[in-house]
Amino acid sequence: MRALRILLVVAVVLGGLLLGADRLAATWAESEVAGRASLAGGRTDSVEVDIKGFPFLTQAADKRFDEVEVVAKGVHTQAGGKPVRIGELTLALRRVTVTGDWDGFRAGAADGTALISYADLVAASERATAMEYGGPGKVKVTGSVTVLGRKVTRTVVSSVTLVDGGTVKVRADEVPGEGIPFLEDLIRERTDFERPLGRVAGMRVVKVEPRPEGLAVTVTGRDVAIAG
């Protein structure tokens, strides 16, 4: 019995050491991926990487990981030739392979969500003066125009849709004319807009959804390069 107890203690100690070594190696790899990650083709304020699965060392030996989660914040990119800031980009990567001496990473498949704040969306619109959540599928957009020397400001409820496979379209459901000629057209010039997003982090846009915290853009892709 004494020998069995000693064997169990040794097994627990060795298991703890192996677990610690495995976790240290995983932390190093996560840091390497985060440090070399290039997302959306622009500058990123911060990147966090979480390599799933255990043990890590066997995956590292194969240079292949079943699942990796990436959270990038403050992603500065281009959309339709114009700068757009993505507040947070969350990606679930699958079948991630390492190329070279840990200098490149590619995902066989990936899905994610890019969250664009309403303040950043206003800046990207280059028209509206303010925007906020307006309910499911809706945003409230404020725009100002000058009519007969008088500044007129209106807030309208607008529908947000995805058109042409990657363009965000914001259009007011209704604009009160108030009997002023061409007022609706003038207001729409300040509140209605389209912004092509193209590909986000090498992935195509499949859905847009207004949320209280901003516009959520759902993306998906295959053979996605994370670095290298």
Side-chain angles (χ1 to χ4, degrees):
M1 290 298 293
R2 182 172 180 274
L4 180 59
R5 285 197 297 270
I6 293 174
L7 182 60
L8 288 174
V9 170
V10 171
V12 169
V13 171
L14 288 177
L17 290 174
L18 289 174
L19 178 62
D22 192 84
R23 189 59 256 172
L24 284 174
T27 300
W28 172 83
E30 290 168 352
S31 178
E32 283 292 299
V33 177
R36 301 186 185 191
S38 176
L39 301 169
R43 177 173 60 85
T44 302
D45 294 344
S46 67
V47 180
E48 294 182 1
V49 176
D50 183 11
I51 297 176
K52 307 292 186 179
F54 178 83
F56 164 81
L57 289 173
T58 57
Q59 298 185 82
D62 292 336
K63 290 188 174 182
R64 181 183 177 91
F65 303 97
D66 294 333
E67 184 179 357
V68 177
E69 183 178 283
V70 178
V71 178
K73 295 185 178 181
V75 180
H76 301 262
T77 185
Q78 296 281 321
K82 302 291 185 180
V84 173
R85 181 183 182 276
I86 299 172
E88 183 174 286
L89 177 61
T90 303
L91 300 177
L93 313 175
R94 297 176 298 282
R95 303 190 304 279
V96 178
T97 56
V98 181
T99 59
D101 187 19
W102 289 81
D103 54 1
F105 309 91
R106 301 190 73 88
D111 298 287
T113 301
L115 184 64
I116 305 175
S117 73
Y118 291 119
D120 288 327
L121 199 58
V122 166
S125 77
E126 300 179 332
R127 294 185 177 187
T129 58
M131 191 180 302
E132 61 182 294
Y133 180 64
K138 308 287 185 181
V139 293
K140 293 180 180 179
V141 186
T142 300
S144 299
V145 297
T146 300
V147 179
L148 302 176
R150 182 169 63 93
K151 184 178 180 180
V152 178
T153 300
R154 292 291 181 270
T155 297
V156 297
V157 176
S158 302
S159 297
V160 182
T161 56
L162 183 66
V163 298
D164 299 328
T167 296
V168 176
K169 181 178 181 179
V170 178
R171 179 173 174 80
D173 296 344
E174 183 180 358
V175 178
E178 300 178 8
I180 303 176
F182 310 116
L183 178 60
E184 177 176 345
D185 292 338
L186 291 173
I187 292 294
R188 284 192 180 278
E189 286 180 3
R190 308 308 301 175
T191 60
D192 293 359
F193 66 92
E194 295 184 8
R195 172 60 66 210
L197 292 179
R199 299 180 73 83
V200 176
M203 292 174 282
R204 61 188 179 90
V205 178
V206 295
K207 180 183 177 181
V208 291
E209 177 190 7
R211 296 179 181 175
E213 63 272 25
L215 182 69
V217 180
T218 303
V219 296
T220 188
R222 295 183 179 277
D223 192 26
V224 179
I226 304 304

